């Protein structure tokens, strides 16, 4: 299924055959390749090589570093269709989403190239005569990227393009569920390196490994920054381990995203927003819409319209003309069924959620998206289940809706559908949504690379991608220069 595709992307056959770790496609559950997992010793050797690369790369002018990323963007444009197809096969995304993820990589390359000439510091007024102060930014060191299966290529690109233009070296450990897309990205990046011609060896490396490999990366003091995407449980382990050695971390963890649907909302627009946000990527996005907080006066109409829309959703092979592909594996399916059982136990009324296409794909896990109308925001609603489950809650007063939006441990994305200006502004105010992302009349998912991406509370607090998130990959230095013949002290201190 993937041999020819991987070879066309530049991946050597020995990298995906003959290994002891099988790789399965969620499309039909079959094994499509096998890889060899690397252990601690190999990780440490790669860290050492990356450290040497960093010593050289940090001295390369930033615009020249940007040229490498420009070349990488060209390579990605050339291979967009092939890499997008591989994302569909390995992660189960529909074709449009697979292509969209590669486009995100191209977009962040463009952003990073421009950034390579804009790593601005500050000039600061000094209180001392004959002095000036400034603030400068320098490369941080080695950056470790740990990514999840659901965005197997884009999240790596967010981190790597910014880290490289900032002067760092990168080590990437992808999910064990999606190593093939990582092998392809590394091969494509090496094509860009060949065109660039003079980058140090070991500048960007791939680690195909399991938990032991991840721990070796997280615990090594030479790795200045760990950017980890995954569950809140994973973040609870990674964050303290990195902090214990005084390293930095960017944590992109769980999301339990809500839409407030006000009585003034354009319902046609809202239903479209609900559909993509709730069922896109089979509910396996960190920004998936999981809670619909709808005004009681329109609740019945909205739920009926969403159910009608769900009934028309095409479920099946993501490479064909379908809107919803498979869950990644049986573990995800079991978690979904457990959550729906809990929802019923907690007084919910469940629509959908059944397994589909079992006879055609006995080893794959396709499901109908589920809607659970809940009497209150119970424990199961407050817990993120990585599957297409939409919990519906009714509200009467706007303050109640805001409280429900914020009354969960996670704080990634949120949105409101309303035509009331006061509600929209209140939602985005300091007293409104407590999430890192707060949208008006657009769903919770589908973020652009220009804005910093991330969330608060148990989402981790980190920021990736656009805006000034580049600062996370650099160290700040304050400089004071005395160009006078005197030595006045700050704060007017006289020291005779």
């Amino acid at each position: 299924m993937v041999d020819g595709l991987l070879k066309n992307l530049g991946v050597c056959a020995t990298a995906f055959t003959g290994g002891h770790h099988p790789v399965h496609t969620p499309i039909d559950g079959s094994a499509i390749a096998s890889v060899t997992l690397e252990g601690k010793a190999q990780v440490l050797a790669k860290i050492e090589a990356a450290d040497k690369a960093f010593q050289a790369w940090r001295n390369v002018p930033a615009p020249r570093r940007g040229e490498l990323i420009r070349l990488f963007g060209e390579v990605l444009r050339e291979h967009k269709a092939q890499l997008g197809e591989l994302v569909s096969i390995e992660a189960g995304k529909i074709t449009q989403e697979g292509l969209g993820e590669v486009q995100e990589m191209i977009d962040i390359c463009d952003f990073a190239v421009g950034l390579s000439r804009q790593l601005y510091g500050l000039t600061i007024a000094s209180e001392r005569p004959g002095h000036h102060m400034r603030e400068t930014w320098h490369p941080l060191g080695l950056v470790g990227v740990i990514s999840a299966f659901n965005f197997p290529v884009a999240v790596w690109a967010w981190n790597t393009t910014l880290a490289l233009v900032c002067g760092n070296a990168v080590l990437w450990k992808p999910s064990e569920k999606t190593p093939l897309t990582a092998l392809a990205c590394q091969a494509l990046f090496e094509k860009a390196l060949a065109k660039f011609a003079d980058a140090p060896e070991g500048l960007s490396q791939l680690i195909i490994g399991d938990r032991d490999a991840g721990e070796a990366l997280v615990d090594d003091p030479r790795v200045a920054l760990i950017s980890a995407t995954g569950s809140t449980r994973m973040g609870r382990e990674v964050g303290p381990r990195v902090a214990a050695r005084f390293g930095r971390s960017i944590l992109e963890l769980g999301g339990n995203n809500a839409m407030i649907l006000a009585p003034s909302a354009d319902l046609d627009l809202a239903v479209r927003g609900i559909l993509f946000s709730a069922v896109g990527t089979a509910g396996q996005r960190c920004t998936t819409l999981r809670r619909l907080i709808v005004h009681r006066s329109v609740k019945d109409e909205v739920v009926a319209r969403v159910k009608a829309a769900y009934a028309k959703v095409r479920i099946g092979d993501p490479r064909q003309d379908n809107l919803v592909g498979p869950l990644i594996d049986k573990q995800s399916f079991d978690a979904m069924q457990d959550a729906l059982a809990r929802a019923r136990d907690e007084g919910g009324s469940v629509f959908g959620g059944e397994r589909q296409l079992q006879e055609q794909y006995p080893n794959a896990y396709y499901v109908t998206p589920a809607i659970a109308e809940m009497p209150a925001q119970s424990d199961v609603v407050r817990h993120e289940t990585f599957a297409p489950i939409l919990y519906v809650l009714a509200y009467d007063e706007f303050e109640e809706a805001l409280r429900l939006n914020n009354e969960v441990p996670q704080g990634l994305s949120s949105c409101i559908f309303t035509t009331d200006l006061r509600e929209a502004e209140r939602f985005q105010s300091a007293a409104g949504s407590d999430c890192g992302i707060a949208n008006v009349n657009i769903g919770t998912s589908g973020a652009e690379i220009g804005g910093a991406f991330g969330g608060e509370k148990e989402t981790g607090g980190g920021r990736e991608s656009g805006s000034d998130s580049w600062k996370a990959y650099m160290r700040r230095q304050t400089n004071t220069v005395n160009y006078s013949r005197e030595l006045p002290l700050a704060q007017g201190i006289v020291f005779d």
Side-chain angles (χ1 to χ4, degrees):
M1 182 183 288
V2 296
D3 289 20
L5 192 58
L6 285 167
K7 290 175 182 176
N8 288 336
L9 288 164
V11 182
C12 178
T14 56
F16 60 89
T17 58
H20 55 272
H21 179 75
V23 182
H24 297 86
T25 172
I27 293 174
D28 61 12
S30 64
I32 54 174
S34 59
V35 297
T36 298
L37 300 182
E38 297 171 288
K40 182 176 180 180
Q42 288 127 317
V43 174
L44 295 180
K46 290 188 174 184
I47 292 174
E48 183 175 353
D51 192 39
K52 292 179 180 178
F54 166 66
Q55 306 301 322
W57 188 245
R58 65 183 176 179
N59 293 319
V60 175
R64 175 64 179 159
R65 300 192 297 248
E67 172 63 8
L68 173 58
I69 302 306
R70 187 190 69 79
L71 293 169
F72 183 43
E74 288 185 352
V75 172
L76 287 172
R77 285 178 171 88
E78 181 183 351
H79 295 280
K80 177 180 175 179
Q82 293 167 314
L83 185 56
E85 182 181 356
L86 185 60
V87 169
S88 291
I89 293 171
E90 190 174 37
K93 290 189 172 185
I94 64 173
T95 298
Q96 283 298 305
E97 290 189 90
L99 293 172
E101 186 169 349
V102 182
Q103 186 61 48
E104 263 191 274
M105 302 174 75
I106 295 168
D107 292 344
I108 197 64
C109 284
D110 289 348
F111 181 92
V113 172
L115 180 65
S116 68
R117 294 181 181 271
Q118 299 179 77
L119 301 174
Y120 298 142
L122 294 173
T123 299
I124 306 168
S126 174
E127 67 185 60
R128 289 169 283 187
H131 289 60
H132 73 72
M133 296 176 65
R134 67 185 182 189
E135 183 180 87
T136 54
W137 294 88
H138 298 301
L140 180 62
L142 308 191
V143 173
V145 180
I146 300 174
S147 61
F149 77 85
N150 61 322
F151 275 83
V153 296
V155 170
W156 167 74
W158 290 356
N159 286 274
T160 298
T161 55
L162 298 191
L164 290 176
V165 299
C166 288
N168 305 303
V170 178
L171 300 123
W172 177 24
K173 184 204 165 303
S175 168
E176 301 97 300
K177 297 177 182 180
T178 52
L180 303 182
T181 44
L183 289 168
C185 287
Q186 182 67 19
L188 294 177
F189 187 75
E190 288 171 2
K191 286 187 178 183
L193 285 171
K195 293 181 179 182
F196 187 77
D198 61 350
E201 186 177 353
L203 181 62
S204 180
Q205 299 177 75
L206 178 63
I207 298 168
I208 302 295
D210 56 15
R211 183 186 178 94
D212 290 342
E215 289 180 346
L217 188 64
V218 165
D219 291 339
D220 198 295
R222 292 171 292 182
V223 182
L225 170 68
I226 292 289
S227 178
T229 301
S231 67
T232 299
R233 177 196 58 76
M234 180 271 288
R236 291 190 193 281
E237 296 184 26
V238 170
R241 293 178 78 139
V242 176
R245 58 174 179 81
F246 297 102
R248 297 190 196 175
S249 60
I250 298 173
L251 299 177
E252 175 51 54
L253 309 174
N256 195 350
N257 316 295
M259 173 193 293
I260 295 176
L261 206 167
S264 68
D266 179 333
L267 295 189
D268 291 336
L269 191 67
V271 170
R272 288 167 58 196
I274 292 167
L275 184 64
F276 176 72
S277 295
V279 308
T281 324
Q284 297 171 121
R285 286 179 177 236
C286 53
T287 54
T288 291
L289 178 62
R290 308 206 181 280
R291 296 176 296 136
L292 175 60
I293 303 168
V294 56
H295 194 271
R296 198 175 304 275
S297 66
V298 294
K299 173 181 174 291
D300 290 345
E301 179 183 356
V302 168
V303 170
R305 293 178 68 167
V306 173
K307 286 180 178 179
Y310 274 27
K312 297 176 182 178
V313 167
R314 299 182 303 277
I315 302 168
D317 189 324
R319 300 165 299 175
Q320 298 173 4
D321 188 25
N322 294 305
L323 292 177
V324 177
L327 295 175
I328 190 67
D329 55 22
K330 184 179 186 297
Q331 181 180 359
S332 293
F333 173 76
D334 289 343
M336 179 180 182
Q337 298 309 304
D338 178 65
L340 293 176
R342 289 176 59 195
R344 293 185 182 96
D345 291 343
E346 292 172 10
S349 173
V350 175
F351 168 86
E354 303 87 1
R355 188 173 177 185
Q356 297 292 315
L357 306 174
Q358 186 171 359
E359 291 187 6
Q360 185 177 353
Y361 302 115
N363 298 313
Y365 294 88
Y366 295 85
V367 294
T368 56
I371 299 170
E373 297 180 63
M374 303 298 294
Q377 190 152 263
S378 60
D379 288 344
V380 72
V381 181
R382 290 165 52 83
H383 173 78
E384 181 194 30
T385 300
F386 221 54
I389 302 175
L390 179 65
Y391 298 105
V392 179
L393 302 162
Y395 79 93
D396 294 301
E397 300 296 332
F398 186 64
E399 291 301 318
E400 178 188 4
L402 278 179
R403 178 183 60 77
L404 289 169
N405 179 83
N406 296 343
E407 200 176 54
V408 294
Q410 311 85 356
L412 178 53
S413 187
S414 60
C415 70
I416 184 171
F417 275 72
T418 183
T419 56
D420 186 321
L421 179 63
R422 292 185 180 88
E423 287 183 339
E425 290 296 332
R426 168 79 166 149
F427 180 73
Q428 295 179 98
S429 74
S433 171
D434 64 1
C435 297
I437 299 169
N439 298 330
V440 176
N441 292 329
I442 187 172
T444 56
S445 61
E448 298 179 33
I449 58 91
F453 182 88
E456 303 302 323
K457 301 187 293 189
E458 288 189 1
T459 300
R463 292 298 186 273
E464 299 172 305
S465 191
S467 186
D468 66 347
S469 61
W470 60 272
K471 293 179 179 179
Y473 305 90
M474 305 197 84
R475 59 182 178 88
R476 187 193 314 243
Q477 188 176 83
T478 300
N479 313 126
T480 304
V481 176
N482 179 5
Y483 57 91
S484 75
R485 294 182 180 275
E486 306 297 329
L487 193 63
L489 301 180
Q491 292 84 49
I493 294 172
V494 179
F495 191 75
D496 292 326

